[in-house]
Structures are given as C-alpha cells and as structure tokens.
Amino acid sequence: MDRSLGKPSNPCILVIFGIAGDLTKRLLFPAICNLGTSHLLNENFCIVGVSQEAFNTDTFRQQLIEDVNSFITDPSVKQYAMTLINRVYYISGSFDDAHTYKNLKNKLEELAANNSSKNLLFYFASPPQFIETIASQLSHASLLHESKDSFKRIIIEKPFGHDLTSAKKLNKLLLGYVKEKQIFRIDHYLGKETVQNLLAFRFSNGLFEPVWNRFYVDNIQISVAEVLGVELRGSYYERAGALRDMVTNHLLQMLSLIAMEPPSSFSAKNVRAEKSKVLSVVQKLNPDFAVRGQYGPGKIDGIAVPGYRFEKNVAADSPIETYVALKLFLNNWRWLHVPFYLRTGKRLALRQTEIIVQFKTGPSTLFSESSKKVMPNILRIFIQPDEGISLSFNAKIPGPTMQLDQVEMKFKYSDYFGIKPQTGYETILYECMNGDHLLFNDADMVENEWALVQPLLDTWAAVKPENFPNYAAGSWGPKEADDLLKKDGHKWQL
Ligand code: BG6
C-alpha cells in the first residue's frame, strides 16, 4: 500500500491510555510523526494521553522532547515531532477512577470547541488487565456513543485476552459497550509492507499461484528470530511467554496469509473470512511436534548477556518459554500433508523474520555427473530487516562439464523503491483513522488463534520444563528444534 499517494486521514483526536509507557515513545509517537511528515495526518489532529504517572501537560511535553531525541533520527520527522508536541495534552489519573474520565471528557469538549474534531480514537496501550475497566468507564462517561457526524473507535493492542476463554469473554464484554465496527484489534505485523505484500505477491503474479499447493510445495517455514531479550518487560512476559506473545498473533497471521485461498475481493470481510478459514483447518497441535526453549546466558555481538532467569522481574526458576518451534498441518485440499514449520525466539543469533517456501526437487537423473546435487527451488520472503524476496534455482557453473550450483535472484525494497518500509504502526493508525478494517482482526480470528494454541498452552502449563535454560543467548535456539525438522529430512533454511 503506497501511502505516499494517500490523502490526509479523517480528522480525529487520538486518546492514548498508558501514554507514558514504552509503546508510545518507541513506536506510536514516531509512527504518528512519520504519518505527519508524509502529509497523511489531518491538520486538526491532536493527542490526549491518559496515564497514572504524575505528569501534567507541560512536564509530559518535556519528557516527549527527550523521547523524540532518543527514538526519532530523521531530521524532518524530528522537526514535525517538535511541532506536534504542542498538540499533545496529558491527563494524569487512575484508570479505575471516574474522575479521570470526567477530566478527559472536559478536555475533549474543550478541544472540540476549538476546532478539533469530535471523532475519537481510543488507543488501549495500557496493560491488558485494564481493558475491561477502561471500556466500562468510557461507556459510563458516554464517550463511546457514535453520532451521525462523529465516530468513536477503540484500538486494542495484543495480546487480546490470555487464553481462549478470556478472549471470548473480552469480545463479549466489548460488544456490550460498542459495535464490532468500532473495534480495531491490532496485530502490528499486518501493518508491515512486507506482510501486506504477501497478498499482492500471491494474487497478482500468475507464475506462483499454480504451484502454491501440496503438489509442488515441499514445506513452508516461518521464522521470527529476535536478538533482543525481554528487556524491561519481565513482568508482562512472565505471564505471556513466546507462544502467547508471538505465535498466537504474528506467526499465525503470516501463516494465514501465506496459506489462504484467494478472496473474492480485498474487502475486509472477504479477506478476514479466508484468513480465518486457514486457522480453522489447522490440525490439532501435537505436543510431540512442539519445542519450547528458554535462553540462558550467552553472547550477543561478542558482549556477555544474562540468561532469561536473571532479567528484571523474572523468577529465578521461571518455566516461561522464550522460544517456540512448531510443526503443523492444514486439513484442506491445497495443503494436506505439507508441513508448516513455525519458530520464534528471543536472544537468537540474528534479527530476521523470513517466510520460506521450499518447492519439491525435480528429477535429478540428468545431472548425475554434477558434484553438487540438484537443489530444491526456494522462495524466500524477507519480512525484516532487509525487506525483499529471493528465488534460488540451480544453474550451470561456466566450464566444460555439467556442474551445478545454486544461485539466487533477489529483489530488495530499498533498491527498487528507494525506501525502507516503516514499523507497521503508521499503516495501522492511518487505516484506523479512516475506518478500514482490512488490517485488523475480527472476533472470530482472535478466537480461532487462541483455539489453535490452547491445547499446547494447557499441556505446557501442566508439565514444567525440566531442561530450562536450554539454549544460549546468541545461538539458534534449542537442538530439539533442529531435530524436529531433521526427522522429516528437512532443515531450517534461515
Ligand atoms: C511484539 C512482542 O508484539 O512484537 C515483542 O510483544 C516482540 O515481544 C515484537 O519483540 C516484535 O516486533 P517486531 O516488529 O520488532 O518484529
């Protein structure tokens, strides 16, 4: 999606609950400033932040200036940020105190009277346990009621719930306060250009779709490798773990896009329906096809880093997994018997997110003389950080004999389009301001995600891991994850 061709968003006030947290300074505010610099924000756009920390608008603006200096590097974006800061307002208060919402309402009315919009976007960047309280307080303060000339939308960060039961409960609860069309459930991977490009790549290129099935594809691998550890998010992560934090959302979203059937249009309804179908045909997860791991001490870029159990707010005997590898199968006509391997981990050797489609190898009878074997064609979709796509194939090495080698054709976003894709939050916020649900999950999708991982969550909760930590920081994860593929005659291609 080329937002550089887009129009400024609809006017609105963005209300961020938990504005003093990490998400705003690292991702949300920089993304908003990227949008503003690209002329994609309405000129009346402004932000009202609500947090428990004891700032006032002036002191919070001072803090924001420091954050901008730390997290925004592009000079033009920085310049935009400095002007936008004057349109950021802060309300200090507890999320469960009705006074907070009274103050918020007064501020919103004052802003609306001064030409700002009556359209309101409530962003829940607060810890998940506050969602229920904030939604009910907003409703009691009559802040969620839409009228003909104004919208009221809520944006919910992941994780949406903690398991299947709580996700269902949360969906039900929210639908008691707002209509489904007012809810935007975020998975920021869906905002990434490279993830959106999966639809363009698959459904606009006649070359690949005919071979995108069990007759030609040998296996598909989705890897999200992170170098970072849990940083300061220990208390959140101790309740989550990699299965909840990454697999139940980002990895399953990529799986659904790579495996879905062509939708009849790019409407949010049709695309979401096809993606949901993929998750509903995943065979029940077999715990024998799942590997969990936790990082111990190790080295990243030659520097010693602590193991997970030594991170802040993490228990010294924590059973929480920081690594997951899974093999799963889809019970449908297109994909029956094709293994999908998914893995993600923190403190791995490299930051790299890739989808790999390995095709079946052609007959090699003609090339028995070659010292190298005929290799399978591999399509690599580089999601980040070096965004692009490559296709590897066999080629004859120049010379008098028929010797083969594997070569690669590569497309890089930065070479071709001259820009590097952004974080994903830009698109997510822009689409939300404009009311398009294509890049957001509906209730069914999040429930399908949880339903899929629930058996494994239960198994892992019941049996404590005996061997944690089982991989060193800076490595490629536990050996068992390699064995998982070795048994099938495969290996991780990343
Ligand atoms: C978040 C997870 O959703 O995604 C984090 O909570 C993870 O633990 C992050 O680090 C990864 O996002 P990205 O865009 O850096 O791949």
Side-chain angles (χ1 to χ4, degrees):
M1 179 182 311
D2 186 355
R3 289 188 309 280
S4 62
L5 301 176
K7 296 192 193 110
S9 60
N10 284 329
C12 70
I13 301 178
L14 177 64
V15 180
I16 305 179
F17 288 95
I19 193 168
D22 238 33
L23 185 73
T24 305
K25 63 181 172 203
R26 281 178 186 275
L27 290 163
L28 290 184
F29 199 67
I32 291 166
C33 295
N34 284 337
L35 282 177
T37 313
S38 312
H39 309 290
L40 292 173
L41 279 185
N42 186 279
E43 58 184 21
N44 285 330
F45 173 80
C46 63
I47 299 175
V48 179
V50 184
S51 256
Q52 329 226 22
E53 282 76 358
F55 289 111
N56 59 36
T57 291
D58 286 339
T59 53
F60 185 70
R61 287 179 181 174
Q62 283 308 318
Q63 175 63 49
L64 215 43
I65 291 174
E66 282 177 34
D67 296 339
V68 165
N69 286 326
S70 311
F71 294 104
I72 299 182
T73 45
D74 184 310
S76 54
V77 181
K78 218 173 211 178
Q79 195 183 356
Y80 181 87
M82 293 306 171
T83 59
L84 183 62
I85 283 176
N86 296 319
R87 282 184 277 142
V88 177
Y89 306 88
Y90 186 86
I91 288 171
S92 171
S94 167
F95 296 142
D96 55 7
D97 182 353
H99 273 98
T100 309
Y101 300 84
K102 202 165 161 234
N103 292 341
L104 173 63
K105 198 170 181 182
N106 290 342
K107 186 77 218 172
L108 294 173
E109 280 168 1
E110 180 193 317
L111 288 169
N114 287 327
N115 269 343
S116 292
S117 171
K118 284 188 184 148
N119 292 332
L120 301 176
L121 212 56
F122 296 103
Y123 197 117
F124 290 46
S126 48
Q129 62 270 29
F130 289 113
I131 296 179
E132 187 169 344
T133 311
I134 297 172
S136 101
Q137 291 279 4
L138 283 174
S139 169
H140 284 130
S142 309
L143 281 166
L144 295 176
H145 185 71
E146 291 197 299
S147 60
K148 265 197 194 128
D149 59 349
S150 71
F151 64 71
K152 307 284 177 310
R153 296 179 183 146
I154 60 174
I155 310 182
I156 311 281
E157 263 292 339
K158 59 148 279 272
F160 190 89
H162 186 69
D163 54 16
L164 179 58
T165 311
S166 57
K168 282 187 170 168
K169 192 171 154 226
L170 186 55
N171 274 327
K172 203 165 162 207
L173 179 124
L174 291 176
L175 288 169
Y177 298 125
V178 286
K179 299 192 182 80
E180 176 65 34
K181 74 174 176 54
Q182 292 174 265
I183 308 176
F184 291 75
R185 299 175 190 81
I186 284 195
D187 183 315
H188 79 275
Y189 265 56
L190 294 178
K192 292 185 191 285
E193 286 292 344
T194 41
V195 174
Q196 290 174 53
N197 189 44
L198 292 172
L199 291 176
F201 179 79
R202 284 195 54 201
F203 301 125
S204 70
N205 292 301
L207 179 62
F208 294 103
E209 200 47 30
V211 293
W212 210 258
N213 55 50
R214 69 193 149 101
F215 300 111
Y216 297 94
V217 173
D218 185 78
N219 72 89
I220 293 188
Q221 305 181 9
I222 303 177
S223 292
V224 183
E226 296 191 87
V227 168
L228 289 180
V230 286
E231 298 183 287
L232 300 175
R233 300 163 72 218
S235 34
Y236 153 74
Y237 207 82
E238 280 283 273
R239 277 176 45 79
L243 188 54
R244 286 189 171 88
D245 185 48
M246 296 293 289
V247 178
T248 314
N249 31 72
H250 308 326
L251 278 97
L252 291 184
Q253 286 298 320
M254 287 190 280
L255 169 73
S256 64
L257 287 164
I258 210 78
M260 70 192 269
E261 295 301 318
S264 49
S265 78
F266 277 147
S267 74
K269 184 167 164 255
N270 289 335
V271 173
R272 299 203 294 193
E274 290 303 338
K275 283 169 60 193
S276 246
K277 274 190 214 160
V278 172
L279 299 190
S280 64
V281 297
V282 174
Q283 287 177 11
K284 188 176 173 200
L285 284 188
N286 179 345
D288 292 341
F289 295 164
V291 174
R292 55 180 157 167
Q294 185 192 78
Y295 63 85
K299 282 192 172 172
I300 301 275
D301 290 333
I303 297 169
V305 295
Y308 175 69
R309 290 176 175 181
F310 297 92
E311 304 276 17
K312 197 164 176 222
N313 296 326
V314 169
D317 59 348
S318 172
I320 295 302
E321 79 287 347
T322 58
Y323 179 101
V324 176
L326 299 176
K327 172 165 78 167
L328 41 88
F329 292 97
L330 269 54
N331 256 342
N332 66 7
W333 182 257
R334 189 189 281 261
W335 295 118
L336 196 69
H337 304 316
V338 176
F340 285 76
Y341 301 108
L342 273 52
R343 72 172 162 171
T344 182
K346 293 212 178 278
R347 284 283 190 229
L348 296 184
L350 205 66
R351 175 173 183 250
Q352 185 97 310
T353 299
E354 260 184 53
I355 301 175
I356 287 165
V357 181
Q358 180 172 332
F359 291 93
K360 291 187 171 162
T361 318
S364 56
T365 41
L366 285 172
F367 299 98
S368 51
E369 298 297 305
S370 174
S371 58
K372 282 198 187 158
K373 286 201 306 198
V374 172
M375 298 298 283
N377 295 118
I378 293 182
L379 181 76
R380 287 173 196 274
I381 303 174
F382 302 96
I383 302 293
Q384 62 187 22
D386 287 323
E387 293 86 352
I389 296 178
S390 81
L391 182 66
S392 64
F393 52 91
N394 299 290
K396 179 182 171 299
I397 301 174
T401 58
M402 182 57 92
Q403 294 293 324
L404 294 178
D405 205 352
Q406 208 178 31
V407 296
E408 210 177 33
M409 282 195 302
K410 194 160 183 180
F411 145 70
K412 279 182 88 174
Y413 277 76
S414 53
D415 293 348
Y416 205 85
F417 296 116
I419 46 161
K420 269 188 80 62
Q422 297 169 326
T423 60
Y425 274 96
E426 294 80 1
T427 320
I428 292 285
L429 288 162
Y430 181 74
E431 296 302 311
C432 191
M433 289 171 196
N434 291 338
D436 187 338
H437 278 90
L438 178 63
L439 302 178
F440 300 86
N441 287 321
D442 57 12
D444 272 358
M445 188 74 182
V446 288
E447 289 179 20
N448 280 344
E449 287 177 336
W450 283 115
L452 203 157
V453 298
Q454 192 63 51
L456 197 55
L457 286 173
D458 295 341
T459 309
W460 283 358
V463 186
K464 298 270 174 276
E466 300 274 302
N467 60 347
F468 277 10
N470 58 350
Y471 72 97
S475 71
W476 271 109
K479 182 182 161 297
E480 293 88 331
D482 295 338
D483 296 342
L484 182 70
L485 274 70
K486 216 188 249 173
K487 283 181 207 145
D488 302 340
H490 293 138
K491 63 174 184 164
W492 294 106
Q493 294 287 353
L494 169 60

